[in-house]
Amino acid sequence: MTDIYSMTGYASLRGAVRDSIAFTLSMKSVNHRFLDLHLRLPSSCDGLEVQLRRMLKENLRRGHIEVTLQVERRANVEIQLNAGLLEAYVQAFREAAETHGVSSEPDLNAMLRIPGVMSAEGVGGAAEIEGLDAAVLSLVVPLVGKVNEGRAQEGASLAAELKASMLRLQAFGEEMAGLRNGVREVQFERLRSRLMELTQGVPVSEERLLAEAAVLAEKSDIEEEIVRLRTHVERFVVMLEEGGELGKRLDFLLQELNREANTMLSKTSGAAGENSLRITELGLEMKAEIEKAREQVQNLE
């Protein structure tokens, strides 16, 4: 059996590039009809984003996936002084002071704040960025595997709940099948009484009565729906046992089951008697069970 995955999961891994950069790569997954990737990376990681998207598409199928990269830089910083530029500003200041007859010396603090005079640079930059890309990409597959561990556990739990739901549907169907004959008998007697009223007490021939009953029975018979319901339930359980990517296929089967439940309710809505009322109750319970199963299936990959 292939694992069944829920689309809900979370995991994170830490890595480092030598002693200068540490990072945390995390992944969060929730349900979505398709594969919907959202990456939150530092602004300097445009090239990394392209590679990350490619790897994620190769390892994931469905879900709203959020991947976040947090980088912690511990690089040594050196202050660089542009001595030539500072000297040029000082010389320009003194020339201007002499030209205008002003006796003043330049303010060194103000000079140092002039753009370009001083700068702070981290040791190693580009080489470390390249090393960061490789280190992050090496954690993608392990991170997906860690997320899938949790998703597989939840998927197994959902599969067990869905199997139990199918057993309940099957029991509802079997009870309906047992109640059908009683409904037919009540409908037959109602038809006989109605025809007697319409003919003002004149006896109705058995042939005509049987013909009318046959038409009524055909309109209200739910045998075909019960057979299809059994088939859909059996197929549903087999698919759960096979595992794999099931979300969309199981949702389609549940739509078919809901259609059968609606048809059975429609066909039996005009009948009377305790059996008919119970069939209506069973149909409503079926629809509630199917709706619950559809909510669970929405979270399967």
Side-chain angles (χ1 to χ4, degrees):
M1 172 181 171
T2 305
D3 283 338
I4 297 174
Y5 291 117
S6 160
M7 283 190 286
T8 302
Y10 175 82
S12 66
L13 292 173
R14 286 186 60 81
V17 183
R18 296 185 293 279
D19 295 327
S20 54
I21 294 181
F23 65 87
T24 300
L25 187 65
S26 61
M27 180 183 297
K28 178 183 178 182
S29 171
V30 295
N31 63 306
H32 195 277
R33 292 181 61 193
F34 308 104
L35 180 60
D36 182 34
L37 297 177
H38 291 261
L39 276 59
R40 299 176 181 176
L41 310 177
S43 58
S44 59
C45 296
D46 292 341
L48 175 60
E49 179 174 353
V50 174
Q51 299 178 76
L52 267 176
R53 286 185 177 276
R54 176 181 57 79
M55 291 189 70
L56 291 169
K57 287 178 180 179
E58 291 174 353
N59 289 276
L60 296 167
R61 297 293 175 265
R62 289 179 66 198
H64 174 90
I65 311 294
E66 293 183 5
V67 176
T68 303
L69 174 63
Q70 295 179 314
V71 178
E72 305 164 17
R73 295 178 178 272
R74 298 195 294 266
N76 295 325
V77 176
E78 291 183 355
I79 302 300
Q80 303 290 328
L81 174 65
N82 191 333
L85 182 60
L86 177 60
E87 184 179 350
Y89 276 118
V90 171
Q91 183 64 31
F93 182 95
R94 286 174 175 168
E95 290 177 359
E98 184 179 348
T99 299
H100 297 285
V102 177
S103 59
S104 176
E105 287 294 319
D107 184 344
L108 183 60
N109 286 329
M111 289 288 186
L112 293 176
R113 288 196 293 270
I114 295 174
V117 173
M118 295 182 65
S119 62
E121 295 183 359
V123 176
E128 288 182 348
I129 292 297
E130 183 179 352
L132 175 66
D133 288 2
V136 170
L137 292 173
S138 70
L139 292 185
V140 172
V141 174
L143 182 62
V144 171
K146 190 174 181 181
V147 171
N148 281 345
E149 288 179 8
R151 294 171 70 208
Q153 291 177 359
E154 185 174 344
S157 177
L158 284 173
E161 292 179 19
L162 287 168
K163 282 184 181 179
S165 184
M166 290 301 106
L167 290 176
R168 287 190 288 271
L169 282 178
Q170 195 167 33
F172 294 153
E174 295 304 323
E175 186 175 349
M176 275 189 171
L179 295 171
R180 284 187 306 117
N181 290 335
V183 171
R184 286 177 180 175
E185 292 171 3
V186 172
Q187 289 177 326
F188 187 81
E189 290 305 317
R190 287 188 66 197
L191 177 62
R192 184 192 296 275
S193 298
R194 184 58 176 158
L195 286 174
M196 288 291 287
E197 291 176 8
L198 293 174
T199 57
Q200 298 181 348
V202 177
V204 180
S205 69
E206 195 70 17
E207 182 179 346
R208 181 182 176 186
L209 184 60
L210 290 174
E212 295 291 341
V215 173
L216 182 61
E218 184 177 354
K219 290 181 178 179
S220 61
D221 186 39
I222 58 173
E223 182 176 2
E224 290 184 8
E225 287 73 21
I226 290 175
V227 170
R228 284 196 291 268
L229 182 140
R230 289 173 183 154
T231 302
H232 293 328
V233 166
E234 290 171 1
R235 180 57 186 153
F236 195 102
V237 173
V238 168
M239 290 170 65
L240 283 175
E241 290 174 348
E242 291 175 347
E245 296 176 40
L246 299 175
K248 293 181 180 179
R249 291 186 292 158
L250 292 182
D251 186 58
F252 174 78
L253 269 182
L254 288 169
Q255 292 179 44
E256 295 298 309
L257 282 165
N258 193 55
R259 186 176 292 111
E260 303 304 337
N262 285 333
T263 303
M264 285 186 278
L265 281 171
S266 176
K267 284 187 172 184
T268 58
S269 61
E274 292 184 4
N275 285 12
S276 178
L277 290 175
R278 179 55 183 160
I279 285 179
T280 300
E281 290 176 0
L282 289 169
L284 293 174
E285 288 182 25
M286 273 186 176
K287 287 180 64 64
E289 196 69 48
I290 291 167
E291 186 60 32
K292 178 182 175 183
R294 288 196 71 179
E295 291 177 4
Q296 293 170 327
V297 162
Q298 298 306 314
N299 202 33
L300 289 182
E301 186 177 72

